[in-house]
Amino acid sequence: MLKPGDFAPPFDLPCASGDRIDRLALWQITTEMLVLFFYPRDFSFICPTEVMGFHRRMAEFRAENTSVVGASVDSVDSHLRWIRELDGIDYPLLADEQGRVARAYGVLDEARKVAIRATFVIDRKRAIAFAVACPLSIGRSVSETLRVVQAIRSGRLCPAEWKPGEAFGPIEGDL
Amino acid sequence: MAVALDPAQKRRLFERLSSVREIVFGVQDGVLTTAGVLAGLSGAVHGRMEIIMAALASTAAGALSMGAGAYLGTRAEVEVIRSELARARREAASQPYILQEELLEKLGQEGLSRESAYRVVKLLSASPRALLTTVEAKLYGLGSAGGNPLLDGLTMGAAFLLGALVPLLPFIFVATVHNGLIAAMATTALTLFAVGYFQGWLADRERRWLSGVRFLAIAMGAAAAGYLIGLAIAPLGAVPSL
């Protein structure tokens, strides 16, 4: 799995965006930051809480000049039907059917040929700024991802449990 | 005229015959063991009463042993099943999505598309009880909390006893060892064929007589082997006089 500081591998894949099929490449993303999250499969009982969680907080991510993109090994048609099942989501889902992108990010479960539950925050230089993976039974915290984005964008040292509006940590030289 | 039962009737029959395994196993083992003992002793011992006493002792020991074995076996099975069901129920209460995901995977392995499996599981999830019983049946192969150890033990013991009487009674009532053995083997063969035929009927096989013949062949093969072993070890019992 890639770690902070690693170069973010490029992708160029079909995607389901709203109710249409499109194509999305990393270079096309113009926002300062990108949250790229992998999940195992469409039509599951754990993933929708995360997929919908990001959907509900999209306005806050946009306010941070950040895009959100989901990815799984399902086909783009499956993504479309899944999005309809969820009554629509406000960001694209990549169809990484061969698992190449998941493998490039080091999050492909080779035995099951599905991506593990992993989230990457990619910075303006298209390097990994933050990476986290969760077991199957634990859903990700969308709030934590947003907090990390806000912390990275602050450009300051952020102590544990830091939230926007709170004091920053000591100046870098003090660490 | 053959009586054909519809699936609902057959299910009710299975429910009534919840101890069918014990009955078939017990009868077959009782018939076979006693026929084997009679055949073996007839080859090794010449006294008719000695053979009858030994067969009676073997029958008593066999019935008690099989009954105790069935009791302990069912008890162990029930404990394991109850523990597994309790775990599934705890998981269903605290982490239903884990069971949902497991059921989703299972249905996918059985040929449903991911989307269809999802819809089936979602429908089942409307009733936690329906989800749980489906998970128990599909994932763990458990339909109920298992049998009754005491009932299974008594059934097995009684079935063994009943089976043992099949070769024993003709042997007792026929005057000579040779004729008694022939009568015992004849009733044994008929009973074993009937048990095999009954199994074939329960399994809804087309050629039920074949089930009967197979059952008979295996059982009589064991009895013949017992007789030959008796003949082979007979010289060992002849203690030379000093």
Side-chain angles (χ1 to χ4, degrees):
Chain A
M1 184 174 168
L2 297 181
K3 60 185 186 303
D6 288 339
F7 168 70
F11 56 80
D12 183 357
L13 290 170
C15 71
S17 184
D19 58 357
R20 68 181 197 282
I21 294 173
D22 210 336
R23 199 165 182 93
L24 183 66
L26 180 59
W27 63 265
Q28 289 175 310
I29 291 168
T30 53
T31 52
E32 184 183 325
M33 310 279 282
L34 165 67
V35 173
L36 174 62
F37 75 94
F38 291 88
Y39 62 97
R41 295 297 302 269
D42 290 343
F43 295 101
S44 109
F45 290 90
I46 300 176
C47 305
T49 57
E50 302 177 320
V51 173
M52 291 309 291
F54 280 111
H55 167 71
R56 280 190 281 270
R57 310 290 294 271
M58 270 314 292
E60 291 166 83
F61 281 103
R62 285 202 184 97
E64 294 294 333
N65 196 14
T66 299
S67 301
V68 173
V69 174
S72 79
V73 297
D74 295 287
S75 69
V76 73
D77 290 327
S78 170
H79 282 335
L80 274 182
R81 292 195 300 274
W82 182 222
I83 288 171
R84 278 188 213 118
E85 178 76 21
L86 298 173
D87 290 328
I89 57 171
D90 205 8
Y91 57 87
L93 295 179
L94 294 175
D96 183 23
E97 284 192 74
Q98 307 301 318
R100 288 195 188 112
V101 176
R103 189 177 288 117
Y105 280 77
V107 295
L108 185 71
D109 179 337
E110 295 286 354
R112 297 177 61 221
K113 296 293 176 208
V114 296
I116 61 169
R117 206 177 293 284
T119 307
F120 297 91
V121 177
I122 298 169
D123 66 17
R124 60 173 69 85
K125 295 174 188 164
R126 297 306 179 236
I128 306 294
F130 174 80
V132 66
C134 295
L136 180 70
S137 58
I138 300 174
R140 282 165 281 213
S141 167
V142 175
S143 297
E144 172 63 6
T145 308
L146 181 61
R147 187 189 77 89
V148 166
V149 166
Q150 290 163 331
I152 293 168
R153 290 194 75 239
S154 74
R156 305 282 297 274
L157 273 176
C158 300
E161 312 301 336
W162 175 88
K163 288 188 182 69
E166 293 180 358
F168 291 105
I171 58 171
E172 288 183 39
D174 290 347
L175 277 180
Chain B
M1 192 176 77
V3 180
L5 298 180
D6 67 33
Q9 285 175 313
K10 193 162 263 191
R11 184 182 174 86
R12 279 196 294 277
L13 174 68
F14 275 122
E15 284 167 359
R16 278 201 305 275
L17 293 176
S18 59
S19 295
V20 69
R21 186 178 67 92
E22 278 69 29
I23 294 170
V24 170
F25 186 29
V27 167
Q28 173 245 308
D29 207 42
V31 172
L32 199 55
T33 304
T34 310
V37 165
L38 288 174
L41 288 177
S42 297
V45 178
H46 293 296
R48 187 168 160 273
M49 280 311 290
E50 285 173 302
I51 296 172
I52 291 171
M53 287 300 120
L56 282 172
S58 157
T59 299
L64 290 171
S65 161
M66 293 290 282
Y71 171 81
L72 292 172
T74 304
R75 194 184 162 93
E77 186 182 78
V78 165
E79 283 173 3
V80 169
I81 289 174
R82 280 187 183 154
S83 152
E84 194 57 35
L85 288 180
R87 190 192 68 77
R89 280 169 192 155
R90 280 197 304 275
E91 204 165 87
S94 62
Q95 300 173 301
Y97 49 88
I98 297 287
L99 291 184
Q100 288 170 321
E101 288 289 325
E102 287 175 358
L103 188 55
L104 201 59
E105 289 286 326
K106 179 71 179 171
L107 293 174
Q109 287 164 8
E110 291 181 354
L112 276 186
S113 72
R114 178 88 184 172
E115 191 173 338
S116 302
Y118 172 84
R119 296 196 192 288
V120 168
V121 177
K122 194 175 175 186
L123 279 172
L124 284 170
S125 302
S127 159
R129 186 181 162 80
L131 176 68
L132 186 61
T133 52
T134 309
V135 164
E136 285 168 359
K138 298 291 288 179
L139 298 183
Y140 306 120
L142 309 175
S144 67
N148 179 330
L150 192 61
L151 182 66
D152 283 357
L154 288 173
T155 307
M156 178 71 91
F160 185 94
L161 203 58
L162 193 70
L165 290 178
V166 167
L168 199 53
L169 286 180
F171 193 85
I172 290 171
F173 288 115
V174 173
T176 64
V177 169
H178 180 259
N179 290 343
L181 191 59
I182 290 173
M185 289 304 144
T187 53
T188 295
L190 277 174
T191 306
L192 290 171
F193 179 82
V195 172
Y197 189 91
F198 177 63
Q199 277 190 333
W201 176 75
L202 277 180
D204 211 14
R205 292 203 182 102
E206 277 187 21
R207 290 187 293 178
R208 293 165 193 166
W209 62 268
L210 200 60
S211 300
V213 169
R214 187 172 56 220
F215 211 96
L216 176 64
I218 293 170
M220 294 312 274
Y227 183 72
L228 291 175
I229 291 168
L231 280 180
I233 63 171
L236 302 176
V239 181
S241 55
L242 294 173

